[in-house]
Amino acid sequence: MRFHSDLHMHSKYSRACSGDSDLEHLTWWARRKGVTLMGTGDLTHPLWFERLRESLVPAEPGLFRLREEIDRDVSRTLPPRLASAEVRYMLSTEVSTVYRRGDRTRKIHHLVYMPDFAAAERFNRELAKAGNLAADGRPVLGLDSRDLLETVLDSGEGAYLVPAHVWTPWFGVFGSKSGFDTVEECYGELSGHIFALETGLSSDPAMNWRVSALDRYRLVSHSDAHSPPMVARETTVFETDLDYFAVLEALRTGDGYAGTVEFFPEEGKYHVDGHRKCGVRMTPRETRERGGRCPVCGRPLTVGVLSRVEDLADRPEGARPDGVPGFRSLVPLPEIVGEILGVGPKSKKVAREIDDLTATLGPELAILQDVPVDDIAACSPPLAEAVGRLRRGEVIRDPGYDGVFGAIRFFRPGELDRVTAEAAAPTLF
């Protein structure tokens, strides 16, 4: 079967995360968005781990679902078109390692997956020796990345690790502030056990294809959701059985890995270089010309993902390795509707509009990718125009930098008024 997965998110026990980040809300939003396989996140946190054991029951091999009575209560609050969709969970967490290697302090984030609760318990028991797991759902530990990977592998057959948002300046394997130039440098003699990389919101596969050293890895994308509405802003698509080990095999071999759904990388908050405090944003070329320093304050710029890709690239733009699956760049539906309505994407007006759209047309990912434009036009002609442009890649890009999200827009000033007027005008026939 073909399905969307989102395997990077957090619970309410992670810092700076919503109090609504519980299993009930995550399941509700997975159905709303059209995601079948979710990561639990935060399995290292004692309270969340106990909640997972109480609320999840075994489903397919290595996967879990909500207990029937909990799931029934969630389904009752959704329209029939969404309520019956399957949602499965994979035990997962993100771990932050901070350590000294060579002459630099390294701060690297990693995604960890476990096939069952017994393996997760063994992993947590070992990890607790390195720090206080109860302090944060995403624990910060003084472990070398290589040693964390060894702990994962020792936890049980099928446990695996994926480097998280690999290009992020502060916490990515290839990040400009504390990363490395190769996976091998980071994970040492165990690097052969790394077979997938999470590309992060500020890059997409086309950027990664410029680096031939990454050809052997499956490129995955997930939301890193800190609140349930952020689920599925990026997903990885599989064509496998709904099965932990089938997904693992697809990542190892590529057979059954069907590509990703991405942010436009310009929308990510570290796409280009800049200095947020001074309001300075620069292209990689401008950064090199100024020696990597802010023209306002003279301090070093935060070097973004595009610059780091160019540092490591050995292929020109547009290069694509043979046989790799493609990807689709999307914009979250609330952002599109918010632009059309002239309000923020989190407003009640947008929420009501999307309630109606999903009840009529299906989950958000289907509306963005698959629902015929004519069907969308019957609900909202301006939305149909925006979705058509999205599918053709005809968007206006305002890139993010130094922690400031970028923006993707669909209409130039005055253009939306014209589209709305044309839709309202009577036709000849």
Side-chain angles (χ1 to χ4, degrees):
M1 64 180 289
R2 185 180 180 92
F3 58 90
H4 289 274
S5 69
D6 186 353
L7 304 179
H8 183 182
M9 61 196 54
H10 294 282
S11 75
K12 61 185 179 182
Y13 296 104
S14 279
R15 291 178 185 173
C17 289
S18 168
D20 286 338
S21 292
D22 55 34
L23 289 169
E24 292 85 349
H25 284 90
L26 289 171
T27 302
W28 192 95
W29 281 96
R31 288 189 169 121
R32 165 81 159 249
K33 298 296 183 80
V35 176
T36 300
L37 181 58
M38 299 272 284
T40 61
D42 298 359
L43 67 81
T44 55
H45 194 279
L47 295 178
W48 185 241
F49 189 69
E50 188 59 31
R51 175 65 173 157
L52 296 177
R53 300 200 71 155
E54 291 172 353
S55 303
L56 297 176
V57 295
E60 297 79 11
L63 302 181
F64 301 85
R65 60 174 175 82
L66 277 183
R67 288 189 178 277
E68 186 174 348
E69 63 275 17
I70 303 173
D71 192 65
R72 190 164 51 242
D73 289 341
V74 172
S75 295
R76 286 184 184 134
T77 64
L78 286 161
R81 194 168 188 131
L82 306 177
S84 61
E86 289 183 326
V87 176
R88 297 293 186 263
Y89 282 94
M90 179 185 293
L91 298 177
S92 70
T93 195
E94 182 179 15
V95 177
S96 175
T97 57
V98 181
Y99 57 99
R100 194 79 177 169
R101 176 86 75 82
D103 61 348
R104 298 175 65 185
T105 297
R106 312 291 180 164
K107 300 178 181 180
I108 312 294
H109 286 187
H110 321 259
L111 300 174
V112 174
Y113 302 95
M114 294 287 153
D116 52 51
F117 279 105
E121 279 189 306
R122 287 192 291 273
F123 177 67
N124 288 349
R125 192 162 50 245
E126 286 302 308
L127 219 59
K129 298 175 183 177
N132 179 11
L133 300 186
D136 191 355
R138 181 185 61 202
V140 181
L141 305 174
L143 276 178
D144 191 288
S145 296
R146 180 257 175 221
D147 296 338
L148 174 66
L149 176 55
E150 183 176 42
T151 302
V152 172
L153 298 174
D154 288 345
S155 298
E157 184 66 30
Y160 67 100
L161 181 150
V162 175
H165 42 68
V166 294
W167 296 100
T168 301
W170 302 99
F171 300 108
V173 165
F174 305 133
S176 62
K177 293 296 185 182
S178 61
F180 300 86
D181 286 347
T182 67
V183 171
E184 289 75 14
E185 285 180 82
C186 184
Y187 295 100
E189 81 280 9
L190 297 181
S191 61
H193 295 279
I194 302 295
F195 42 79
L197 304 173
E198 186 189 52
T199 59
L201 302 181
S202 295
S203 80
D204 62 15
M207 294 168 63
N208 286 262
W209 292 338
R210 296 186 59 197
V211 184
S212 63
L214 306 187
D215 288 356
R216 64 178 293 265
Y217 304 102
R218 249 55 63 197
L219 303 177
V220 301
S221 292
H222 307 301
S223 68
D224 193 3
H226 287 211
S227 66
M230 295 298 104
V231 163
R233 57 185 176 179
E234 293 198 331
T235 71
T236 302
V237 183
F238 292 98
E239 288 185 351
T240 68
D241 292 337
L242 194 54
D243 176 319
Y244 178 98
F245 300 96
V247 168
L248 174 55
E249 186 66 12
L251 291 177
R252 280 180 171 155
T253 67
D255 186 16
Y257 162 74
T260 55
V261 169
E262 304 274 341
F263 254 32
F264 285 90
E266 291 87 353
E267 193 170 2
K269 60 183 180 179
Y270 291 106
H271 183 67
V272 293
D273 311 330
H275 197 185
R276 175 174 46 184
K277 290 183 179 179
C278 297
V280 170
R281 177 174 60 184
M282 290 187 171
T283 65
R285 179 178 178 180
E286 290 170 331
T287 299
R288 289 192 296 270
E289 289 174 350
R290 292 187 172 273
R293 294 196 169 270
C294 174
V296 175
C297 69
R299 294 179 180 178
L301 295 164
T302 297
V303 174
V305 169
L306 188 59
S307 278
R308 277 297 283 164
V309 169
E310 292 196 356
D311 287 344
L312 301 183
D314 55 358
R315 291 176 177 145
E317 288 186 41
R320 179 173 178 173
D322 293 338
V324 297
F327 65 96
R328 300 187 74 168
S329 297
L330 300 181
V331 175
L333 189 58
E335 294 183 18
I336 304 175
V337 174
E339 181 180 353
I340 291 169
L341 298 179
V343 297
K346 298 180 181 179
S347 71
K348 292 181 180 179
K349 193 174 182 181
V350 168
R352 288 194 297 268
E353 182 76 10
I354 295 181
D355 283 344
D356 293 340
L357 289 166
T358 53
T360 303
L361 301 174
E364 292 183 30
L365 285 170
I367 294 171
L368 294 172
Q369 297 183 94
D370 306 316
V371 174
V373 170
D374 286 347
D375 292 354
I376 299 173
C379 298
S380 169
L383 178 61
E385 177 65 25
V387 169
R389 294 182 183 190
L390 174 65
R391 294 176 185 178
R392 297 188 298 271
E394 297 171 1
V395 299
I396 303 164
R397 310 176 193 216
D398 188 24
Y401 67 100
D402 195 19
V404 178
F405 277 106
I408 304 295
R409 294 181 292 110
F410 296 88
F411 302 101
R412 299 188 184 279
E415 193 177 14
L416 183 57
D417 293 337
R418 178 182 59 78
V419 171
T420 303
E422 289 175 355
T427 57
L428 182 58
F429 300 103

